Amino acid sequence: MKGVKLGLIGDPVDHSLSPVMMRAALRARGLEGDYHLLPTPARLLDERLDEVRADFRGVNVTVPHKRRVMDRLDAVEPEARRVGAVNVIVNEGGRLVGHNTDAAGFYRALERADALPGEALVLGAGGAARAVVHALVSAGWLVGVHNRTLERAQRLVEELGGWLVVPGKLEKAVRRTPMLINATSVGLGDPNASPLPEGWLPEAGVVVDLVYAPLETRLLREARAAGLRTLDGLGMLLGQGALAFELWTGQPAPEAAMEAVLREEATRWKP
Ligand code: NAP
């Protein structure tokens, strides 16, 4: 294998920002190597993993394989097992080991922004919400969880901690929380969609949106107009990518270089 050969397994993968971020990281550290998009329909997943085992230092994993890849690896780190998703594979001399850097990457983004109120309300119960709730609960935060499909949120809190916020209590919970986190996919690809009715915002504090296409979602726009602090989805993307880079290369991630290209690329997004 020549240099640090990295890639992304998923379906689709063509809109990913990971190649620009990881190439910038390799360049900044003076490492030879490349980051390849590896479009992988479900029926080709086993073949793709053989290819990774033979030829790659590691890969990211994205939709729809984050869960199903777990059974096919040689080992899965306990944190990834708990979250129920692998987003990074490290090839340790032919042994494929699964990690989850979404959870720690999200927390790293909050630390970097010095936004750590110790209490949050999370909207969503999919893969991203699971990573976020796991990160916050592990750090000792008080975490409320609401989701359109309530049973899914109920299962999430039973497995990972936090408490369920039912629809009748949602408006009050939103107003009182010091940190509101949108971990649903509402807003993705649509600058006019919001996961909450207009005017439902915290009275004070921070609003975080994991969506990064577009960077400025309707929720963040409304929050900023109401004088609240906002954090967009690039923080988590950068955090998970920085941790992945460190796992693959053993070197500290050049976060400033990674963030600069990410922000440049993400602001080019058009509906
Ligand atoms: P997912 O597993 O498909 O979960 C989607 C979530 O959104 C579910 O909770 C779903 O609720 C909810 N949802 C979808 N449509 C909705 C609607 N119309 N109204 C209310 N709720 C709705 O997706 P995911 O992987 O968790 O990703 C969620 C978002 O996070 C995506 O926008 C993704 O791009 C973003 N993300 C960002 C990062 C980052 O690094 N910044 C990392 C991962 C994900 P139901 O359970 O009711 O269907």
Side-chain angles (χ1 to χ4, degrees):
M1 161 187 340
K2 187 162 157 35
V4 188
K5 193 167 175 184
L6 305 171
L8 172 65
I9 295 181
D11 187 23
V13 290
D14 43 346
H15 296 299
S16 170
L17 295 176
S18 293
V20 289
M21 170 167 62
M22 292 303 177
R23 285 175 191 149
L26 290 168
R27 235 182 0 257
R29 284 280 168 261
L31 296 169
E32 253 190 69
D34 203 358
Y35 189 98
H36 305 265
L37 289 177
L38 306 169
T40 308
R43 67 194 156 77
L44 296 180
L45 183 57
D46 288 327
E47 269 173 54
R48 188 64 91 188
L49 290 173
D50 288 343
E51 198 184 326
V52 170
R53 192 176 270 112
D55 207 26
F56 283 74
R57 171 62 190 143
V59 287
N60 284 119
V61 182
T62 188
V63 177
H65 302 314
K66 283 186 176 187
R67 187 177 275 274
R68 74 167 64 108
V69 83
M70 292 172 76
D71 297 336
R72 295 165 155 95
L73 301 175
D74 301 297
V76 173
E77 287 295 301
E79 175 149 76
R81 181 114 9 238
R82 196 156 162 71
V83 174
V86 158
N87 73 308
V88 174
I89 299 174
V90 182
N91 185 356
E92 295 179 357
R95 245 180 113 245
L96 297 186
V97 182
H99 297 254
N100 184 298
T101 65
D102 280 335
F106 174 74
Y107 202 75
R108 183 160 160 155
L110 296 189
E111 285 177 324
R112 231 171 152 241
D114 197 18
L116 301 162
E119 195 180 327
L121 173 61
V122 177
L123 306 177
R130 288 185 67 90
V132 164
V133 171
H134 172 70
L136 299 181
V137 168
S138 306
W141 288 38
L142 302 172
V143 184
V145 182
H146 175 80
N147 189 48
R148 173 179 65 177
T149 310
L150 219 52
E151 307 79 59
R152 223 174 155 198
Q154 175 73 48
R155 207 167 337 121
L156 187 160
V157 299
E158 280 165 10
E159 290 173 15
L160 298 176
W163 68 85
L164 181 70
V165 176
V166 296
K169 305 266 186 196
L170 181 59
E171 185 175 4
K172 196 164 168 192
V174 168
R175 293 204 192 290
R176 293 211 166 154
T177 189
M179 179 175 277
L180 173 69
I181 303 170
N182 177 33
T184 74
S185 44
V186 182
L188 179 63
D190 183 354
N192 294 314
S194 171
L196 290 174
E198 195 174 348
W200 287 28
L201 287 169
E203 279 161 9
V206 189
V207 176
V208 185
D209 204 326
L210 301 195
V211 169
Y212 53 79
L215 263 191
E216 179 161 275
T217 59
R218 176 166 170 187
L219 180 67
L220 293 190
R221 222 168 36 242
E222 290 182 356
R224 203 166 305 130
L228 298 168
R229 185 170 177 209
T230 58
L231 296 176
D232 63 40
L234 281 198
M236 179 175 180
L237 191 65
L238 173 66
Q240 63 77 29
L243 291 168
F245 182 85
E246 289 168 6
L247 286 168
W248 292 325
T249 67
Q251 298 203 29
E255 286 184 67
M258 294 164 82
E259 186 174 15
V261 293
L262 269 185
R263 212 156 271 287
E264 190 186 322
E265 207 58 34
T267 41
R268 281 203 207 126
W269 184 88
K270 292 264 184 319

